[in-house]
Amino acid sequence: MFFSFELLFEAILFGLLLGCFYAAVSLGLSVAFGLLDVPHVAHPALLVVGSYGAYMLGDWGIDPLVAGFLLMPVFFLVGMLLYRFYYETFERRGNAAGVNGLAFFFGVAFIIEVLLVVAFGVDQRSAEADYIGESLRLGDLRLPYRLLIAAAVALVLTVVLSNFFSRTFVGRAIKAVGQDEGALRLMGADPVRIKQLAFGIATSVNALAGAMLIIVSPVEPTMDRIYIGRTFCVVVLAGMGSMKGTLAAGLVLGVTESIVLTLFGASWATAVAFGLLLVMLGVRPQGLFGR
Amino acid sequence: MKFWIVSALAILSAVALALSGANEYLFFAGFVVLQAIILATGWNILGGYAGYVNFGVPGFVGVGAYTALALHLLVGAPLIVQIVAGAAMAALLGLAVGVLTLRLRGIFFSIATIAVVFILEAVVMNSRFLGGATGIQLTRPDDVWLFGTYTRMLFVMMTLMAVVALSVARYVQNSYIGQGLRAVRDAEEAAECSGVPTLKVKLIACAISGALLGVAGAPMPMYLSYIEPLSTFNLHYAVIALAMPIIGGTSHWIGPLIGALILGTLQQIVTVTISSELNVLVVGVLLVVFVVAAPDGVIGLVKKWKTSSK
Amino acid sequence: MDMIRRKLLGVASSVALVAGLATGGSALAADPIKIGMSMPQTGPLGGGGKAALLALRMWVEDVNAKGGLLGRQVEFTYYDDQGNPANTPGIYTKLLDVDKVDLLIAPYATGPTAPIMPLVKQRQKLLMGNFSFQVNAKTKHDMWFNNAPWNTAEGWAKGFMEAGKASGAKTVAILAEDGEFAQNLADGARPYFKSLGLNVVYDQNYPPTTKDFSSLVRSIRASKAEIVFVASYPAASSAIVNSINEIGLGSQVQIVGGAMVGLQFTPIAVNLGSKLNGITNYHVYVPGMPLPGVESFLQRYTPRAKAEKIDELGYYLPPFNYAIGEMLEQAINATKSIDDRKLADYFRKNEMKTIVGPVRFDANGERANVRLVTAQFRGIKNKDQEQFRNSGKQVVLSPAADKTGEFIYPYSKAADAK
């Protein structure tokens, strides 16, 4: 493999941009799994649905980023309904964290995958926009606009969510319900309604992330599989439920993946997220920033 | 006793069928159903008995398949040796995964098993000896003793392996390992406190489950005369291995068998009449329906019907 | 009244039965010749596969309109393998054991074809190859005949190298997809590059599912290679072209391309548009080549392709797939049989006349008379399909007999050339 410091520097820069994108994609899972403890393996599948949604809206000439925003309310409702169903069927009956909850979400993820194949075929789809395919030229360096935009959106999302959870009443209630549901109930708030709201928010963030996904790379229905690795890696690395931790963890993953890609070639790229995940689970399961 | 009589009958009928002039394709398709039985039975030892959901089924299947391939390429090993070696390597993998992750909560174990799949896939993709992403073609012996074609011999071999898998599951269920696993599934901390050696039984279950999954994977290179990583390490195996025991019932060794027969038949019907895409949809939908409405599977439904009709 | 009606019905049905048996009897004597295959209709190779399938269907229609082969109608059975090598062994087993076809055609492309080679050898079936590359090298099946106009890796790379010779470049980067086609080609190209005294400064494989080539393109640029030889399948070819335009290969690159499959599919070429400019790639038919049979075939092909919304220009696979049909037709009519061995012997010994010219096979079942074209994309505009009908858009650099222009280098200059 060819190596030079210039190449490494570019790889790190690229990795930081990519890492922001990975963080954005994982924010929803940080809420759903990190804060609410729902074994939401279908999160990446919903991400891909968001991408296809942006793709379909693109057929009507709508820019993918705008499409992402338009999809957010729809996904919010979907998230609320999904959580409600999960709660009624599993959490209430008390067999949530066991085989059944996981199997349910796994089944949902597969159903989504197959429906996407039936609707769109197995081919790759890409979004079209003026900024996709062009890059910012800084001397010899070329930074693709698609990554710059995805990184920018990711940063904004992180800041917004972080503030939401620490400053608003609802946000703090969501954090509280993850920590001590009983105490929250004593204070008069309904934990189920709050969790539903949180899941709705997590899913709507996913819609925007999905739009970014199709800006950053072409999508095809089975992409959710590798994103299970990337999103869970980020969430585990972050330690449960921290938004800023998610951003930092995303950057770690992005840079690691980029360096591996540059030094060892494309055939190890898919294993990086999963490898990092296993290492964290083995060495420090509470994550880099968790308690 | 009844079990052994039925098993012997099953093996004898498989042999008779293979010796008859039945259409070759029957054995080609039959292999898939038998493989499904072994997958479901193997998965259930850890998933059903102990409650630890292994999503990494393709990893174990892949280890079995690629170990068999390696032996075939290196020393031209006969099929039975390939299967035993595949099972052994997969058992080791099971132990390794268990040691690494069994201290963690349920969902982390499951996510870790998915990680194993992709890491193993990357290892194969980086090995030119194992074919990389391109894959490897194999030549099978033309004339096979007694059965004529290799496919028929494979069919009989898989029937034998299915019987072995079912008897292992039955033994585990009725032994102290099974009791320990049930204690782990129902209340792990309480079991630990009562002196059940939970880590030990979980590791044994990991190894046995892994070994059976490896048995399901080992004959694959010879079955298709071709093997490549993307389809071998496909998460599709994970969904089937999960769905069949849940549909059949996870508490008893016969559950996976029932689930495999129901799902296998349905899949073949859907593939032939509608399309092969939709057969994956059928699996997913049935899985979700049963998990939501009938978590104890067909066994549970039968029990309920029996008690309600009394 | 009822008794009479029943009796009448009985007589009527007996007459019908006898009549049916009589005509049914003669129908049995002319039961169809079944030809079967799988073809990628979806998935990364689908763009090419659908066009190829239309050409084959047209041949079946033409042959049946003429009365069939040996007085029997041709029945064509095909499945979609999605371009996935894992699907073809099962499909071809089904074709042989369930559909019970008489003759087999291979799926388009090396990837889906490789897995079925051991199967067809074991079953001793003739297999008509379909644009695959050296797929028979390991299996050495003696009843394999490939319609593609290429043979060895050296022959392939030679055109590319000869085209770029004027630039005097000395360093090579090889980027090859980890799949049967690209690996076969790269394995053969490496010793050839060495024999030319070139220095290989970069040599990497990538998995077929790779979507982002930024790191790879950056690494190639950092290696300062002057020749960039790429062997890729359609999805990756598109992504690589996009990445080259987005990240840049560096000013030292003289020639880029070589064996990028997919740039010949009209929809992909139209989609990439001006990003293709400067790239030097292989092709099998470029407008202007003296093949009147192809021109008249395409005139019939284009309206049907348009109606079915597939590759309208059809410059790549369709004429060659029609040629597969023509070759089968000639062999069956000459040997008056559909026996695999007899047809294979005929193919081995004879030269066939097809719309893509004369076809002769060597001992391995590959083309004895090679005619692979190396062409450079020039002055391509975005979103314009009809421009490809002009020969100036793909300037043929080699072989000398088909040359239509001079190679422009370095790559950056060629990319801007009109």
Side-chain angles (χ1 to χ4, degrees), chain C residues 395-407:
Chain C
V395 176
V396 178
L397 306 171
S398 117
D402 291 308
K403 191 165 174 175
T404 63
E406 294 302 321
F407 173 59

Side-chain angles (χ1 to χ4, degrees), chain A residues 33 37 39 89-90 93 99-100 102-103 106-107 110-111 114 117 225 232 236 240 267-268 271 274-275 277-278 281 285, chain B residues 47 51 53 55 105 107-108 110-112 115 118-119 122 126 234-235 239 242 246 277 280-281 284-285 287-288 291-292:
Chain A
F33 179 51
D37 219 18
T89 320
F90 299 100
R93 295 190 205 162
V99 182
N100 296 317
L102 265 175
F106 203 56
F110 256 85
I111 293 178
V114 178
V117 170
R225 300 180 191 188
F232 274 90
V236 166
M240 305 312 237
S267 40
W268 285 109
F274 289 104
L277 174 63
L278 273 186
L281 284 178
Chain B
V53 181
F55 284 147
R105 280 198 295 141
I107 182 176
F108 288 121
S110 305
I111 301 293
F118 281 85
I119 293 174
N126 279 288
N234 196 331
L235 278 183
V239 197
L242 200 73
I246 287 189
E277 242 84 60
V280 184
L281 187 62
V285 168
L287 172 63
V288 171
V291 155
V292 167

Side-chain angles (χ1 to χ4, degrees), chain B residues 179-196:
Chain B
Q179 287 174 343
L181 292 173
R182 275 191 292 280
V184 164
R185 182 188 62 197
D186 294 333
E188 185 158 351
E189 281 166 13
E192 186 76 46
C193 293
S194 330
V196 177

